[in-house]
Structure formats: structure tokens, C-alpha cells
Amino acid sequence: MTYSIANAEHEIQAKCNTLNLRWYPRYHLAARAGWMNDPNGLVWFDGWYHAFYQHHPYSNQWGPMHWGHARSKDLVHWEHLPVAIAPEGPEDRDGCFSGSAVVNGDILALIYTGHKYHGETANEDELFQVQCLATSRDGIHFERQGIIVDTPPGVHHFRDPKVWREGDYWYLVVGARMGDTGEVRLYCSEDLHQWHEEGVLDKAESGMGFMWECPDLFTLNDKRVLMFSPQGLAAAGFRNRNLFQSGYIIGDWQPGLPFIRTSEFAEMDYGHDFYAPQSFLTPDGRRIVIGWLDMWESPLPEQQDGWAGMLSLPRELSLSDDNRLQMCPVKEMESLRQNWFSWPARALKNEQISVLDEAESVEVILNWKGALSTAEQYGISLGKGLRVYMDIQMQRLVLERYYPQYALCGVRSVTINPDNDLSLRLYIDRSSVEVFINNGEACLSSRIYPDAGDRELRLFAWNGSALLSESGAWQLE
């Protein structure tokens, strides 16, 4: 097949009006049709927020990657734009893989991985990944500039460049695999075209993964945050339960000096579905992150509906006093709020009560009085398939999904002190839930697949009582 932007657009237009929308998101960004995975090129340019993403417009399966494109004035309402890049050159003929975007004067520059095989596609010895550049003056139409960083000797997996400006230089971090060891390599440039290798910024010790995808290095509270998605971490107790993880290491780094870790690796999101996050700065200086709200090798029931994958809500990052990364929905999400429904529930004891018949596009607010709650489990459920609850015996907040008809069952959880008050903010969309705990202390994000008529919200408390100081929901636009 010959790939081009024109062919991709023709394919999308033919498919987008045939989708089954039962699970298509109301307020999350998803592709018009076809497949979506990693967010790419998140940037503010010429009065717009731009979000690019890994996209296969020809089917609902992963395939030769294109860059889908949307823009927004407010991070909430997105306008779809034409596909930005297609795999149509010798440097990226097998896919335009993940990357980032920067503003260089009046030019928007995309830096991405060109994916190509020099022989059989089943032979990794024939795989070469190179970093490429494409530029635009209008933010919509891009001119390909070719390879800017070639594949290092002895390396085959070498992808996902993240570029930023610091002082007089541009810097680039990129994920790599050396044998069975994941690492992040660093490059430096004066002009985005000619790059000088600065060596390995950081690499995995034993058990820390065979490949570090989607690296990102940024500053919060004068600390450096190295964010990445390691492949190959073994599950240990409640940790690393997904096939692949996304997380961060806190450290110190200055140009020309080594990166010095000051923390262990920590997961960013404790739900089933959050991967390949990328950060960017808003014009008012906030550090925002968006991730892929899905997980590799997990069932994707929406594929039968003509599409697959979506992005998480934009989240503002902060660093706690003990150097833990915290995430909250961006303040712009409040612009979606319409009617507020206050629930009269204040005390529950060995019971469940219905609070909303149909929850398809809502923001739920729950403030539990932990020290005054004795129930072994208390929380909220959506139909028969989702429960989010405090488990006193485990001292954990649990997200449990149960969709056996789609082979999606299981729990994810995070440690919570049951003696403290518990503040929950849940964003429920047609096929997702994002749970923000105690103003960003932790979050759990998971895909959900309620059948028709199975979206009733209920509060419950079992084997004891639970007290609420506030409960209700905002209907979202």
C-alpha cells in the first residue's frame, strides 16, 4: 500500500460516519476513526494547543503509524485537523513513530522516530529507527526535513525523542535498548538539524526494564523529573500490575553533568490503562501531562465499533514536599460543568443507594469522613461492571472492573490511610473512568465498557457505616 496524507484523509472520511458511538468518548480526545495510541507533539503554538498522536487510519488495529492531529483553545474542546505526517519517505517507510514538538521562532517543529526495515520485517536485525524532523509555519501543513539523528551502531530500538530548549541549546532525550537493558540517551543541538551525542543520561539496573519508551525530562520545584515508560518490569505485590508501566525518577541534572537520581522509580497512575505520557508547558507556566488511556495487549472492545484508543484528560503536575509527582485535572475541565446534582446521602450503613440513573458524562465529587467510617468497604459503583471503594482491611482504595463478556476483569489499588478524610473526584465518560484522590495525591485510570442500560450510580457501605461530608455530580457538556 502507498501511504500518503491524502490517502489517509480519504480513508478517515469514509469511515468516520460509520462508527458505533456507544463507547466513543464525549469529552476525551479520540481519533475520528481507526487506531490511536501515544500522544505526540503536545505544544502551544500560534494561539492553539496542539495534540498529535500515533494513528493508523486504515483500520482499528495497530499498523504503519501516521501522526493524527487536533487543536484546542482550552485543552477541552478539540478540533480535528488533517493527518500531519504519513510514512511516505525512505526514512520512515514502515511508520512515523512517537516524538515531540517545539516552537522555534515562527516555526512549529515536529521531531519523530522514523521506523524502517532494511529487509524482512520479522527480523529485528534489519530494524533501524532514526530521528526525523518536519516543520510548519501554519501549524497544519508540514514539510519533511529528513533524518537528524541516525541509528547508533549496535542499536535497533531507538525511539520517541523529546526535545526542549535550555539556555542557548536544544536538548533531546530518546529511549533505547542495549541488549536487554533500557536506557535514555541525550543529544544537544544549536539549530534542531545538527545534533551532538552527549551519552547515556540514565539506564536500567537489573529488573528495571529492557526498553525505556517515551522519555521526558523536565523541571518541577527546581528538581528534574525523568518520566518514561519502562517495558519488562515484573509485578511485585500491588506494584507494576500492568503489562507495561509509566512512571518517573526524581534527580538532579545540569547540561554537561550526569543525571543523579534522588528517588526510586514510582508509578504515575495506578489504574489499568495509562501509558506513554508526555508533558508540555502552557503559556502561563503550568506543566501539563497527557497519556494514552489504554494498555498494550489488553482487549479493546471498541475495535468492533470502528475505532480504538483515546487520550487521558490533561493533568497539571506538581511536586509534593516529599518529592512525589502529583496530578490533578487541568482547571479548564471545570468549563464543562453544567448542572450540579447534590446527593442527600450523608450516612450509609450496610446498604447501597441509587444516586443517578444514567452516568455517561459526569464528574463525581465524594468526600468521605475516614475517621468516622467503620465499614469494611465503602464507595461507589457504576452498573454491574465498576466499583471504586475504600477497603479498610487492606487500607487501600480499590478500582475494580468486571466485564467478563469482554475479558476485562481485575482490580488496581493504591495505599490510603483509613483514618484520614478521603476526597475523590471521578471523571466518568462513555468508556473510561479517571479517579483523582486527595487533590492529586494519586490517581487510577481505567477503561470501562458498560452495556446499554447498565450505567446506574450507587453509593454503598458494607459491614459497618460510612459518613460523607459532600457527595454529588456535575453533568458535563
Side-chain angles (χ1 to χ4, degrees):
M1 178 182 290
T2 299
Y3 297 108
S4 69
I5 291 173
N7 288 345
E9 283 298 307
H10 181 269
E11 191 74 15
I12 292 168
Q13 294 302 323
K15 294 178 181 296
C16 66
N17 293 324
T18 66
L19 303 185
N20 183 339
L21 299 179
R22 56 180 170 165
W23 293 317
Y24 192 85
R26 297 287 298 273
Y27 57 90
H28 289 77
L29 180 58
R32 291 169 286 169
W35 171 276
M36 166 197 273
N37 58 282
D38 305 3
N40 298 152
L42 306 178
V43 70
W44 171 266
F45 174 71
D46 197 25
W48 294 88
Y49 292 105
H50 290 260
F52 302 85
Y53 51 88
Q54 292 287 274
H55 185 32
H56 186 227
Y58 295 91
S59 82
N60 54 19
Q61 307 284 331
W62 186 92
M65 288 291 97
H66 298 53
W67 272 37
H69 187 193
R71 68 181 181 181
S72 171
K73 288 287 189 180
D74 61 3
L75 290 171
V76 176
H77 301 89
W78 293 94
E79 171 193 356
H80 287 286
L81 295 173
V83 168
I85 314 173
E88 50 189 348
E91 68 275 13
D92 57 19
R93 61 176 174 262
D94 295 308
C96 302
F97 276 22
S98 292
S100 54
V102 293
V103 178
N104 185 18
D106 60 353
I107 293 175
L108 178 59
L110 308 183
I111 303 93
Y112 68 97
T113 295
H115 181 73
K116 57 180 180 173
Y117 285 91
H118 290 182
E120 292 294 325
T121 57
N123 184 359
E124 286 207 351
D125 290 338
E126 299 295 330
L127 168 65
F128 293 90
Q129 294 181 328
V130 296
Q131 314 318 314
C132 304
L133 176 67
T135 58
S136 171
R137 291 189 180 274
D138 65 4
I140 299 175
H141 305 93
F142 291 85
E143 182 179 349
R144 301 157 66 90
Q145 305 290 338
I147 298 173
I148 55 172
V149 179
D150 210 343
T151 312
V155 176
H156 293 281
H157 293 271
F158 178 63
R159 56 183 176 267
D160 312 333
K162 179 67 191 296
V163 177
W164 75 99
R165 181 83 174 182
E166 191 151 343
D168 295 329
Y169 295 94
W170 297 99
Y171 291 91
L172 179 155
V173 286
V174 60
R177 176 177 180 176
M178 285 295 293
D180 287 327
T181 300
E183 60 184 31
V184 174
R185 296 194 174 198
L186 178 68
Y187 292 79
C188 180
S189 173
E190 293 182 352
D191 61 4
L192 293 178
H193 291 266
Q194 302 295 322
W195 291 86
H196 173 70
E197 186 172 3
E198 299 282 306
V200 174
L201 182 79
D202 201 358
K203 64 180 181 179
E205 65 272 16
S206 177
M208 268 299 291
F210 58 80
M211 175 69 193
W212 284 9
E213 291 196 312
C214 304
D216 194 344
L217 185 66
F218 54 88
T219 302
L220 282 176
N221 292 5
D222 297 323
K223 293 286 187 179
R224 300 285 185 165
V225 180
L226 177 60
M227 185 172 71
F228 58 101
S229 296
Q231 297 181 322
L233 269 62
F238 292 108
R239 295 185 294 111
N240 306 329
R241 298 308 307 177
N242 292 328
L243 180 61
F244 301 122
Q245 322 306 320
S246 295
Y248 64 95
I249 294 170
I250 306 298
D252 295 314
W253 177 81
Q254 294 297 327
L257 298 176
F259 177 80
I260 305 298
R261 296 185 191 180
T262 58
S263 80
E264 299 295 322
F265 174 81
E267 292 177 81
M268 289 181 66
D269 189 296
Y270 297 91
H272 295 87
D273 297 295
F274 187 81
Y275 192 71
Q278 184 175 113
S279 80
F280 66 102
L281 281 174
T282 63
D284 60 2
R286 291 173 292 160
R287 177 65 61 174
I288 307 298
V289 70
I290 298 176
W292 180 42
L293 204 56
D294 260 312
M295 182 54 57
W296 293 113
E297 299 185 31
S298 174
L300 301 175
E302 72 270 20
Q303 287 177 313
Q304 60 190 283
D305 295 344
W307 65 283
M310 64 191 205
L311 300 187
S312 74
L313 296 181
R315 305 170 180 189
E316 182 176 355
L317 297 182
S318 60
L319 206 59
S320 68
D321 292 339
D322 57 352
N323 289 331
R324 290 183 299 109
L325 204 59
Q326 298 184 320
M327 296 189 289
C328 284
V330 292
K331 60 186 179 184
E332 288 87 345
M333 287 302 301
E334 296 178 7
S335 69
L336 289 180
R337 291 174 175 174
Q338 294 184 317
N339 297 321
W340 166 254
F341 299 96
S342 181
W343 299 334
R346 288 295 180 265
L348 296 91
K349 185 175 182 179
N350 299 326
E351 62 181 322
Q352 65 177 0
I353 62 170
S354 177
V355 290
L356 192 62
D357 292 336
E358 182 77 9
E360 184 182 78
S361 180
V362 296
E363 175 192 353
V364 175
I365 305 294
L366 297 174
N367 291 320
W368 299 94
K369 305 298 291 183
L372 301 177
S373 298
T374 62
E376 291 183 2
Q377 291 185 358
Y378 58 87
I380 191 169
S381 63
L382 175 70
K384 297 185 291 289
L386 173 69
R387 293 201 309 154
V388 178
Y389 61 91
M390 184 67 201
D391 189 304
I392 296 296
Q393 296 181 81
M394 291 199 304
Q395 299 192 15
R396 300 184 73 83
L397 184 79
V398 179
L399 187 156
E400 177 184 2
R401 67 179 179 184
Y402 182 73
Y403 301 101
Q405 68 273 41
Y406 305 117
L408 286 167
C409 300
V411 301
R412 296 290 182 267
S413 64
V414 61
T415 299
I416 295 291
N417 187 336
D419 294 328
N420 295 338
D421 290 348
L422 175 62
S423 171
L424 298 181
R425 192 174 172 190
L426 295 84
Y427 281 88
I428 299 172
D429 206 337
R430 279 178 173 156
S431 58
S432 67
V433 60
E434 293 175 73
V435 183
F436 297 90
I437 303 166
N438 294 337
N439 298 313
E441 183 179 300
C443 54
L444 302 100
S445 303
S446 294
R447 295 299 298 272
I448 59 176
Y449 297 93
D451 289 332
D454 192 33
R455 292 182 177 274
E456 183 180 8
L457 279 180
R458 297 184 178 94
L459 298 176
F460 63 87
W462 300 123
N463 296 321
S465 61
L467 298 180
L468 281 155
S469 60
E470 182 182 17
S471 65
W474 291 97
Q475 193 71 38
L476 300 183
E477 179 188 331

